[in-house]
Structures are given as C-alpha cells and as structure tokens.
Amino acid sequence: MNRMRMTLVAALAALTPLIGHADEIQVAVASNFTAPMRVITEQFERDTGHKVLLSFGSTGKLYAQIRNGAPFSILLAADEQIPVRLEDEGLGVAGSRFTYAIGTLVLWSANEGYVDDQGKVLTDQAYRHLAIANPKTAPYGAAAMATLTKLGLADSVRGKLVQGENIAQTHQFVASGNAELGFVALSQVIESGEIRQGSGWIVPATYHPPIRQDALLLTNGHDNPAAHALLDYLRSAKATEVINAYGYGR
C-alpha cells in the first residue's frame, strides 16, 4: 500500500512541471493564414500544453489594434513592412522577426471551368465584378494590384473592382457569387495540393513583389514562455509541413 502511494506521488510529481509551465498567449494572425494556423495551433497545444487564443484580421487592422494596446504576444503578419514598423516603434522585440511563410496569390472563381490556367479570363470574359482585398491594408490586395498593373489591366478593370476589408472577406465575395472572380490567397482554396472547388490561376511569383509574411514577438509576450515556444514551433518540421500543404513557400 505504501509502495502504491509512493508510486502515485512520484507520478503526480512528474506531471507537475508540465502543468505548472502551461501558459496562455494571444496571437494576431493575418486572415490568409487562418486555416494553417488553426491546424498548427491544435498541434502546438497538444504537444506543449500551452493555450493559444487566435485573432484574425487584415495586417493593417491588427497593426492598429496593437498600437492601441491590444494584448497580443505575437503578430503573424501578411507582409514584412508592418513587423519592421512595430520593431522600430518599440512594440516588437528586436531580433525576433523572421519570415514564417511566403504567400501565393491565385485568381479564383467558385465556378468550375471559369478561370483558365493562364488568367486570360481577365480579358476574355464579360464579368461584372473582380474582388480584391484593400490594397492599402492587405498585402494580398497590393499584390493583386501589382499583378493587374503587370498585365496592363489596372485602369480597364477599375470600375469592376470590389474591395474586401481583408482577404477573408474578399474570398467570401467570390465564394458567395457576389463577384464572379477575385484575387485570393491560395491557402484559402487549396486542399491536398489542388484547388478544392471552382477554378483558378496561380499567379506567377514574378508578377508582384514577394508576399513575405513575417512573425514578430511583441513586447507584451517578451516574458511569456509560451510565446517563445510558439515562435520556435513555427520553425519546426511539423509546422513547415502544414505551411507547405496550404500552398506557402518558406
């Protein structure tokens, strides 16, 4: 009986460090990274015991929230400029920034066969609405405008553009049929390496500046072990596998 009690006490003692070192963090995540981040978070929580609270939005909106005191420990941006700005403003931890993913832009329609594999639909089809994310606040929107400029279509399609506040809303415009087609993140429409519904043209990376998505440890998370652990986890083989599966580069 005494031996059993000693074994139980030893087992509880072994578990105590795991329980005692579990922390909670709030993470601001660019909308395009919603699906992979949910998967990564589930794996991270299971592997570490830490708790992660996710908030999604356009990088510009998340930046404003951080400036206004939102209690985020980490920012996973859709660009590299905002993390640099936060670092310069003293709201990010110097030296913590790194590129966690390189985004891929796709011209997508919810209709099968509507978008060809070279994007000629932009000039060959009589569509009424082309959805893009707000290029002033969403890097994927800026990439979409750069692509249209590259194709010489920026002026001719201007009257057809409908802007989403972020890439999530832009995707919804197209998915609901309110826009026949739109520029969205490949991660929003890919599954098992293929576009899971509708039709799309993956925009060549040379048509717009690279969509480098940087992670940053914010000053609020400087002393939080879970924040450091999550940033390390984003560099792991497990996270990389998820990121690649959703069409991102590293």
Side-chain angles (χ1 to χ4, degrees), residues 66-84:
I66 293 166
R67 287 287 309 274
N68 289 323
F72 298 125
S73 295
I74 291 172
L75 170 65
L76 299 184
D79 68 359
E80 51 190 338
Q81 288 79 26
I82 293 298
V84 168

Side-chain angles (χ1 to χ4, degrees), residues 227-240:
H228 291 271
L230 180 56
L231 289 174
D232 288 340
Y233 200 85
L234 280 168
R235 297 183 177 99
S236 71
K238 266 190 176 182
T240 297

Side-chain angles (χ1 to χ4, degrees), residues 85-104:
R85 191 182 305 173
L86 287 168
E87 242 184 322
D88 291 342
E89 293 169 348
L91 295 172
V93 177
S96 67
R97 179 169 49 86
F98 66 93
T99 300
Y100 67 92
I102 297 176
T104 301

Side-chain angles (χ1 to χ4, degrees), residues 16-233:
T16 300
L18 296 177
I19 298 169
H21 286 82
D23 292 289
E24 182 175 282
I25 48 171
Q26 295 189 40
V27 181
V29 184
S31 297
N32 72 86
F33 204 63
T34 297
M37 191 56 191
R38 290 193 190 280
V39 176
I40 291 169
T41 294
E42 182 179 341
Q43 292 179 348
F44 173 75
E45 290 182 335
R46 185 171 61 246
D47 290 349
T48 67
H50 295 307
K51 177 69 176 176
V52 181
L53 303 177
L54 300 173
S55 295
F56 301 101
S58 72
T59 297
K61 293 285 187 180
L62 295 172
Y63 167 72
Q65 291 175 24
I66 293 166
R67 287 287 309 274
N68 289 323
F72 298 125
S73 295
I74 291 172
L75 170 65
L76 299 184
D79 68 359
E80 51 190 338
Q81 288 79 26
I82 293 298
V84 168
R85 191 182 305 173
L86 287 168
E87 242 184 322
D88 291 342
E89 293 169 348
L91 295 172
V93 177
S96 67
R97 179 169 49 86
F98 66 93
T99 300
Y100 67 92
I102 297 176
T104 301
L105 186 70
V106 61
L107 179 66
W108 178 69
S109 172
N111 299 320
E112 298 285 345
Y114 193 87
V115 177
D116 61 284
D117 62 4
Q118 296 182 33
K120 292 182 179 179
V121 61
L122 289 168
T123 53
D124 292 352
Q125 290 274 19
Y127 57 91
R128 291 189 305 156
H129 298 117
L130 172 63
I132 66 168
N134 184 344
K136 293 180 179 179
T137 59
Y140 279 82
M145 286 306 304
T147 297
L148 290 171
T149 300
K150 171 80 172 177
L151 294 171
L153 299 174
D155 292 330
S156 62
V157 304
R158 198 169 298 277
K160 300 179 180 182
L161 296 180
V162 290
Q163 286 188 13
E165 178 181 320
N166 53 46
I167 201 68
Q169 188 178 57
T170 305
H171 175 266
Q172 183 57 32
F173 285 160
V174 185
S176 65
N178 288 321
E180 293 95 325
L181 69 168
F183 286 100
V184 300
L186 180 60
S187 60
Q188 296 173 297
V189 299
I190 195 172
E191 187 174 294
S192 301
E194 296 183 356
I195 293 176
R196 63 177 177 269
Q197 176 190 355
S199 52
W201 167 56
I202 297 176
V203 178
T206 55
Y207 280 33
H208 57 78
I211 307 174
R212 297 187 186 279
Q213 304 196 191
D214 277 7
L216 179 68
L217 176 65
L218 301 171
T219 52
N220 188 62
H222 184 271
D223 297 322
N224 190 322
H228 291 271
L230 180 56
L231 289 174
D232 288 340
Y233 200 85

